Amino acid sequence: MTDETLASYAAHEESGKGRRHKEPPAAYRGEYQRDRDRIIHSTAFRRLVYKTQVFVNHEGDLYRTRMTHSLEVTQIARTVARALRLNEPLVEAISLAHDLGHTPFGHAGQDALNECMRDYGGFEHNLQSLRVVDELEAKYADFVGLNLTYETREGILKHCSARNARELGELGKRFLDRRQPGLEAQLVNIADSIAYNNHDVDDGFRAGLLQLDQLRGQALFGEHYTEVRQRYPELDDRRLIYEVIRRMIGHVVTDLINHTSDALLALGPESIEDVRSHSKPLVAFSDAVFESHTALKKFLRENLYRHDQVRQMNEQTRAMVEVLFERYMSDTSQMPRWFEKRAALGQPDGQARVVADYIAGMTDRFAIAEHDRLN
Ligand code: MG
């Protein structure tokens, strides 16, 4: 479908690199809309509801999960996409899929699985997201995976080690040549960090792990805090936090749009290929906002992600992943038939990869139940 509202440097379906298996066009939808719908209908997507972002699922019902995080990323990215006249359905597809490969228990789960897989090629959640859509979703009679377009897959694979990049053919080439993905992919990458920087302030405060006084020391937070306090001197803390977070998101999103449009105007890329050939991403914050955004990220790492309470939970969940890996490796019949059969095909590295696929696909609560069953 030709879309006149798109900028020349956006991803255009008619010049897209297509799907791995050729398919006739859909009747009412464009190709990226179709990708988005396939992602939403996937089993991996539904599991995101029960996967940890920072707080393990059973710690409370109001914290972000991978699902609500993915939806927040999508909304932020769509706003920017419209303002920059980028391809909105593509941005939606990439945003909704970007965390499909995440293990249960957030980064603790990913680190544990990576450690278990050390002798078998390691585990990267980005690459796993691509594996989910390319190989693990089993829904179509004619092909494995979801057969998504090149541009969606390019956006899903935001990082990749050189070793893995070499095995990925054209999709991995940009990591070796130091080229960029399209603007839609660049945008989702930043929208991801805008979303978690802001919702983790909210969740951390709700959990009582971050205090207002600490947050006020952060440039991004402090500036908007003062403004809200002056305007609403009587406001309770809970609503105040929301007023501040809303302004913080608005502030960085506006900066991102302005700074990126200036860069696009100055450099004048005429197509997605021009964008790809740049050595640096074109979707970017101004230096000042980049600095305060990065400072907030660092603050969250030190004060929330490494908070004693979070760390304790991480140690428990880490140990669970290690036990699961060990049990399935020594007895593959403990996995469902489909995984057991696949494991038998590829001894021994292949077997470990199948076990990692099985564990990575688990929700938090399923992993806990499996751990209890096998112990
Ligand atoms: Mg994310």
Side-chain angles (χ1 to χ4, degrees):
M1 261 186 251
T2 325
D3 187 342
E4 305 296 330
T5 61
L6 289 180
S8 62
Y9 44 68
H12 290 253
E13 274 180 20
E14 53 290 5
S15 56
K17 298 191 188 190
R19 302 178 188 277
R20 294 200 292 176
H21 305 272
K22 252 197 160 354
E23 291 184 64
Y28 311 107
R29 295 168 296 168
E31 295 304 323
Y32 302 132
Q33 287 176 304
R34 203 180 195 188
D35 280 0
R36 174 201 60 201
D37 298 351
R38 286 181 182 190
I39 291 157
I40 288 181
H41 289 283
S42 70
T43 43
F45 184 72
R46 287 197 294 281
R47 291 199 189 111
L48 296 179
V49 186
Y50 299 109
K51 288 199 183 201
T52 295
Q53 182 67 26
V54 174
F55 294 93
V56 174
N57 201 240
H58 61 249
E59 288 182 286
D61 287 346
L62 291 176
Y63 298 120
R64 265 66 175 190
T65 65
R66 287 276 157 205
M67 171 73 80
T68 53
H69 160 72
S70 300
L71 296 176
E72 291 185 30
V73 172
T74 309
Q75 294 315 106
I76 290 168
R78 286 178 63 188
T79 300
V80 180
R82 278 207 185 193
L84 297 174
R85 293 170 58 224
L86 300 180
N87 197 311
E88 193 176 336
L90 175 59
V91 154
E92 258 189 292
I94 299 171
S95 300
L96 294 171
H98 87 282
D99 272 350
L100 287 181
H102 258 287
T103 61
F105 312 128
H107 280 281
Q110 125 103 16
D111 291 347
L113 199 52
N114 188 26
E115 188 59 32
C116 294
M117 289 293 289
R118 199 173 36 181
D119 297 334
Y120 311 103
F123 178 89
E124 295 176 44
H125 67 84
N126 261 292
L127 192 62
Q128 190 68 13
S129 296
L130 188 69
R131 255 177 92 66
V132 167
V133 300
D134 278 359
E135 292 176 44
L136 299 178
E137 280 289 323
K139 309 187 81 104
Y140 291 86
D142 291 330
F143 43 77
V144 292
L146 301 177
N147 198 30
L148 303 180
T149 61
Y150 179 91
E151 290 71 31
T152 301
R153 297 170 60 238
E154 172 187 59
I156 291 173
L157 191 67
K158 61 178 176 184
H159 311 288
C160 183
S161 65
R163 195 168 55 90
N164 287 322
R166 264 179 233 114
E167 287 174 18
L168 284 168
E170 193 185 356
L171 202 66
K173 219 169 161 293
R174 80 173 152 95
F175 298 98
L176 305 170
D177 300 350
R178 301 191 179 279
R179 282 158 50 96
Q180 301 305 314
L183 295 171
E184 288 79 1
Q186 296 180 24
L187 165 56
V188 174
N189 194 10
I190 295 191
D192 185 20
S193 68
I194 296 176
Y196 65 64
N197 247 5
N198 286 283
H199 63 51
D200 289 348
V201 167
D202 179 21
D203 281 354
F205 182 74
R206 179 190 301 281
L209 306 187
L210 298 176
Q211 313 306 323
L212 260 184
D213 286 346
Q214 274 176 299
L215 287 165
R216 281 167 58 191
Q218 278 304 301
L220 257 181
F221 191 96
E223 181 190 326
H224 295 107
Y225 173 88
T226 310
E227 188 194 316
V228 175
R229 255 290 164 254
Q230 272 166 5
R231 193 149 166 209
Y232 306 100
E234 305 297 326
L235 197 64
D236 62 273
D237 287 352
R238 199 57 247 173
R239 284 207 283 174
L240 175 125
I241 282 276
Y242 285 130
E243 284 295 335
V244 175
I245 290 175
R246 176 177 310 124
R247 282 169 174 76
M248 289 202 302
I249 297 176
H251 179 84
V252 298
V253 163
T254 304
D255 179 85
L256 183 66
I257 292 169
N258 291 338
H259 190 261
T260 305
S261 2
D262 290 350
L264 290 168
L265 211 60
L267 296 161
E270 280 173 13
S271 67
I272 190 169
E273 278 312 315
D274 283 356
V275 169
R276 285 179 175 135
S277 65
H278 274 270
S279 58
K280 279 209 252 161
L282 298 176
V283 180
F285 293 124
S286 67
D287 289 347
V289 166
F290 176 78
E291 214 172 280
S292 50
H293 176 81
T294 310
L296 181 57
K297 231 184 197 181
K298 189 163 162 248
F299 166 84
L300 288 168
R301 190 164 56 233
E302 285 164 4
N303 297 282
L304 181 62
Y305 312 146
R306 291 185 189 151
H307 190 286
D308 278 348
Q309 220 169 297
V310 174
R311 224 199 285 239
Q312 267 171 27
M313 185 54 87
N314 285 348
E315 263 155 44
Q316 286 175 28
T317 54
R318 235 189 124 86
M320 277 191 226
V321 169
E322 284 162 12
V323 168
L324 288 176
F325 187 81
E326 205 182 285
R327 295 286 197 279
Y328 297 132
M329 278 301 272
S330 59
D331 181 4
T332 55
S333 74
Q334 294 297 331
M335 296 189 292
R337 208 55 202 118
W338 191 70
F339 284 94
E340 187 193 353
K341 266 163 67 186
R342 289 183 66 218
L345 296 174
Q347 302 268 4
D349 287 24
Q351 177 184 321
R353 184 59 59 196
V354 174
V355 169
D357 284 342
Y358 183 50
I359 296 175
M362 292 179 183
T363 60
D364 293 359
R365 56 185 192 173
F366 184 75
I368 294 170
E370 271 296 275
H371 176 264
D372 292 350
R373 181 181 74 85
L374 293 169
N375 253 349

